[in-house]
Amino acid sequence: ATEKKEEGKRIHASNATVSELDVLARHHFSSKLQRMSCVVRDVTNRRAFAVAKGSPEAIGNLLAQKPNGYDASAKTLAK
C-alpha cells in the first residue's frame, strides 16, 4: 500500500472532482521511453485512471489524437 501523504489540491477528471487516490501501479521514469506513469483509483467512486508525464514527443506519440495546438505548445514550453 502507498503511504498517505498530506492532502494536496483536488483534481478534476472526467467531470468529477477527485480528492483521494489510491496508487495501484507505479511505472518509474524510463530515460529510454522518456516517460513515467501511474494507474490510480478514485477512492470515492472507484474509477481507475492512467496518468503519465514525460517529454511532449513521447506523450504525443501515445495519443490517438493530439489536441489542437499540442505541438506548438510543446515547442513553446521547451524554450
Side-chain angles (χ1 to χ4, degrees), residues 10-66:
R10 287 183 166 78
I11 60 170
H12 300 282
S14 299
N15 299 323
T17 299
V18 179
S19 59
E20 188 175 358
L21 297 170
D22 282 333
V23 177
L24 304 178
R26 181 177 290 127
H27 305 282
H28 295 280
F29 181 78
S30 164
S31 56
K32 181 178 178 184
L33 299 174
Q34 297 182 329
R35 66 177 185 265
M36 61 86 54
S37 62
C38 291
V39 178
V40 297
R41 182 174 29 222
D42 179 353
V43 171
T44 304
N45 67 26
R46 311 298 290 166
R47 290 175 56 188
F49 300 91
V51 293
K53 72 181 236 178
S55 74
E57 298 82 10
I59 299 299
N61 287 336
L62 297 173
L63 299 174
Q65 183 177 1
K66 291 182 192 176

